Amino acid sequence: WGNATANDFLGELRAQLGDQVADMMQTYVDRPGVPVVSARIECSPPPRPGATPVRAETPRIVIDEPRRALPAGVTDPAPAPWHIPVCVRYGDATHAERACGAGSIAVTSCPTWVIPNADATGYYRSVLDDKQARRLLDARSPVARMAHPTSAERRMTFSDLRAMVDRAELGIDVVLAAI
């Protein structure tokens, strides 16, 4: 029945749920706006014929450092890192999986698709590859048949594409073609 400061709130979170949760929540308490993340697939290229085999790196999904989502032409006066959890769904023509993490998520095989906001439950914007977005949104595509994007993930994909237009990262013509 009294007042509390943000530090009181974060201190209680730290005591009850640990440092990791408190640090993540502090990001949302201290920073205005919404973060934007990009997830990209990194796999070792297949060896060239006749080339000496090179030790293959573990395939992974790399989550680039989240930044504040701002409209085109606006710069963040005090950029700071966001410490947020990111959950992705990914897979290939035979299976689909879900994983959460930050920085880099090791995967067992090289995925052919990734949904950067699994189940559309994360409080962040995603940067999407327009070709992959089209494949995920087209129910006839093999990627969409395997990924089975939920209606929430499809709505989030449209919303993220529109936000990319607002940030001048994608042309409206590309978004209209995807739709």
Side-chain angles (χ1 to χ4, degrees):
W1 303 104
N3 289 327
T5 65
N7 285 336
D8 294 334
F9 170 68
L10 294 168
E12 191 61 26
L13 277 178
R14 195 170 308 285
Q16 298 297 321
L17 301 173
D19 290 341
Q20 190 175 15
V21 172
D23 291 345
M24 182 266 309
M25 285 303 296
Q26 185 167 3
T27 296
Y28 287 108
V29 170
D30 288 347
R31 288 169 189 68
V34 177
V36 61
V37 301
S38 62
R40 56 190 160 81
I41 299 166
E42 282 192 0
C43 300
S44 296
R48 288 179 291 165
T52 305
V54 180
R55 186 177 158 273
E57 290 185 32
T58 303
R60 61 191 178 147
I61 297 171
V62 176
I63 309 297
D64 292 329
E65 176 137 347
R67 57 184 165 77
R68 185 174 170 197
L70 294 168
V74 177
T75 57
D76 193 344
W82 290 73
H83 304 286
I84 61 170
V86 173
C87 292
V88 298
R89 282 199 322 111
Y90 63 93
D92 57 26
T94 61
H95 75 289
E97 296 184 44
R98 184 181 198 278
C100 299
S104 180
I105 300 169
V107 296
T108 55
S109 62
C110 189
T112 56
W113 58 269
V114 62
I115 296 174
N117 192 343
D119 304 316
T121 56
Y123 185 72
Y124 55 87
R125 289 282 181 204
S126 304
V127 174
L128 299 164
D129 173 82
D130 63 288
K131 291 179 184 103
Q132 182 169 306
R134 267 194 298 238
R135 289 191 300 262
L136 286 168
L137 295 172
D138 181 358
R140 299 167 299 186
S141 102
V143 169
R145 285 197 301 270
M146 185 60 221
H148 298 292
T150 65
S151 60
E153 288 171 338
R154 286 192 302 272
R155 284 191 311 272
M156 182 61 74
T157 299
F158 286 129
S159 182
D160 285 340
L161 289 171
R162 182 200 51 81
M164 288 177 70
V165 171
D166 292 344
R167 294 189 309 266
E169 296 172 350
L170 199 59
I172 188 71
D173 56 327
V174 175
V175 174
L176 292 173
I179 293 170

